C-alpha cells in the first residue's frame, strides 16, 4: 500500500511517500508527479522517509521524468531514503542520475 501526500511549502512542491511502491500503485505516483509538473512547479522534493520498498516500476516512474525535469528546468530532489531503499538506488546507479539527500534540510539547501 502507498500513501502519497502533496504539500506546497514556499516555492517547493513536496511529495511524502509512505509504504511501498510497486507495479500496482506506481501509476498513482506517476499521476501525482504529472499533476505537479502541469501545475508549473519548479522545485519538487520527494520525502521518502516513510518509504519501505520500491519496485522497478516505481524507479521507472522517477526515471521517466528525468529528461522532462531537465528540459523544463525543474529541480528534483529525493530525501530521507531508508538504508535498504537507498541501496536499491545505489546498486542501480540512480544516485548518480538523481539528487538524493539524507534529510529535508539538505534537500532544501540543494534547491536554493
Amino acid at each position: 500500500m502507498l500513501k502519497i501526500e502533496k504539500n506546497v511549502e514556499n516555492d517547493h512542491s513536496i511529495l511524502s511517500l509512505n509504504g511501498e511502491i510497486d507495479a500496482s500503485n506506481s501509476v498513482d505516483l506517476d499521476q501525482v508527479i504529472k499533476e505537479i509538473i502541469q501545475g508549473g512547479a519548479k522545485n519538487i522534493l520527494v520525502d521518502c522517509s516513510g518509504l519501505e520498498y520500491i519496485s522497478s516500476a516505481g524507479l521507472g516512474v522517477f526515471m521517466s521524468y528525468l529528461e522532462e525535469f531537465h528540459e523544463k528546468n525543474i529541480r528534483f530532489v529525493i530525501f530521507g531514503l531508508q538504508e535498504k531503499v537507498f541501496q536499491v538506488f545505489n546498486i542501480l546507479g540512480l544516485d548518480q542520475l538523481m539528487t538524493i539527500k539524507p534529510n529535508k534540510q539538505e534537500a532544501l539547501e540543494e534547491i536554493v
Side-chain angles (χ1 to χ4, degrees), residues 24-76:
S24 68
N25 60 27
S26 63
V27 293
D28 299 331
L29 176 62
D30 183 62
Q31 185 60 40
V32 170
I33 293 174
K34 192 176 296 181
E35 289 170 7
I36 289 173
I37 293 171
Q38 290 171 345
K42 290 297 179 190
N43 300 307
I44 302 173
L45 289 88
V46 183
D47 179 355
C48 293
S49 57
L51 187 64
E52 299 165 11
Y53 170 83
I54 187 165
S55 71
S56 58
L59 294 168
V61 170
F62 290 133
M63 295 299 297
S64 70
Y65 284 102
L66 291 182
E67 189 174 327
E68 186 172 358
F69 292 153
H70 181 73
E71 289 172 357
K72 294 184 176 179
N73 204 24
I74 296 171
R75 306 276 295 171
F76 177 76

